[in-house]
Amino acid sequence: MTIRVLLADDQALLRTTFRMLIDSTDDMEVVAEASDGAEAVQLARTHRPDLVLMDIRMPGTDGLAATAAICSDADLSGTRVLILTTFEIDEYVAQALRAGASGFLGKDVAADALLEGIRTVADGESLLSPAATRVLVTRFLATPEPSTDNVLPERLTALTAREREVTVLVAEGKSNTEIAEDLFLSPLTVRTHIQRAMTKLDARDRAQLVVIAYQSGLVEPGPTPSS
């Protein structure tokens, strides 16, 4: 299957570079380009891409607002957002993850890493390195916003003991293979537990499961990492 990608960045040269790279592969294509967040939302609704490669800092409607609009649109439930940013660990990235983004990459990412990141997120996984996840969670995600649903802890009662156990390990940044080794399960069984936990907690993907795990108190943040 071909992964259909929407590029959203105010820098035309960067969009051209990414388009050439993506279109050079056999399994993905760029279906549209947007120069700001409002255009990204409009084109997402028109083309229904599998993934939006979204810059955060754009004039007018920024990538944060565009991400929130796309991820809250029921008609775009199959569209994932992968954030591109110059500053990989900051409050804007944390807000984008809260809004529904599935992960993030630095703009200086290598070509192979970018393509692999697109494939990973399009496949329904998240793109959060363990180190970056710990920093983001400790600094920004663990403290709920005023609008956060207060019944989150109650929603956790829907999880089985094994699903809770797996969710904790996901929140610690472990891969399915690592979780399988820790719990003496097969990677397929781990994936099944994760999918069920996401369904019960209304998490779009693994990244949202991480956010919920910390904001609900299922996992407590550790000491603040040194910069």
Side-chain angles (χ1 to χ4, degrees):
M1 293 180 62
T2 299
I3 301 170
R4 303 171 69 254
V5 180
L6 166 62
L7 299 177
D9 197 296
D10 62 323
Q11 299 180 46
L13 180 59
L14 195 59
R15 293 199 310 272
T16 299
T17 300
F18 284 147
R19 174 184 278 274
M20 292 175 61
L21 176 63
I22 291 169
D23 285 345
S24 70
T25 68
D26 295 330
D27 61 339
M28 60 184 76
E29 65 175 344
V30 174
V31 296
E33 295 181 26
S35 59
D36 61 42
E39 188 178 16
V41 174
Q42 177 185 0
L43 291 174
R45 289 170 176 161
T46 299
H47 295 279
R48 307 271 180 102
D50 299 303
L51 181 140
V52 181
L53 200 57
M54 180 82 75
D55 183 24
I56 287 185
R57 294 168 177 81
M58 292 185 287
T61 302
D62 63 16
L64 180 61
T67 295
I70 290 171
C71 293
S72 63
D73 191 328
D75 292 333
L76 296 176
S77 60
T79 298
R80 308 294 180 196
V81 177
L82 177 57
I83 296 296
L84 278 174
T85 177
T86 304
F87 307 99
E88 292 190 20
I89 301 173
D90 65 10
E91 188 170 1
Y92 291 108
V93 173
Q95 289 178 27
L97 293 175
R98 283 196 188 108
S102 297
F104 59 91
L105 286 170
K107 284 192 174 182
D108 59 351
V109 63
D112 289 346
L114 173 66
L115 296 176
E116 187 58 33
I118 291 173
R119 294 185 183 102
T120 297
V121 171
D123 192 40
E125 298 294 336
S126 67
L127 199 64
L128 299 172
S129 70
T133 299
R134 283 194 293 272
V135 175
L136 279 166
V137 164
T138 303
R139 292 184 181 174
F140 307 115
L141 298 180
T143 303
E145 295 179 311
S147 59
T148 298
D149 188 349
N150 291 327
V151 301
L152 270 175
E154 296 178 14
R155 289 166 56 192
L156 294 177
T157 61
L159 302 183
T160 65
R162 181 63 87 183
E163 288 164 357
R164 290 167 68 97
E165 192 174 17
V166 169
T167 298
V168 168
L169 294 175
V170 168
E172 292 176 355
K174 293 192 175 184
S175 67
N176 286 7
T177 300
E178 291 170 331
I179 295 172
E181 291 174 352
D182 286 352
L183 301 180
F184 302 101
L185 300 172
S186 71
L188 179 59
T189 299
V190 170
R191 184 182 179 92
T192 299
H193 285 310
I194 293 172
Q195 292 290 341
R196 288 175 178 168
M198 290 192 299
T199 298
K200 291 178 179 180
L201 297 177
D202 295 323
R204 286 174 61 91
D205 56 25
R206 197 184 188 102
Q208 295 307 294
L209 195 60
V210 171
V211 174
I212 291 172
Y214 279 92
Q215 292 192 333
S216 65
L218 179 61
V219 181
E220 295 293 333
T224 303
S226 57
S227 300

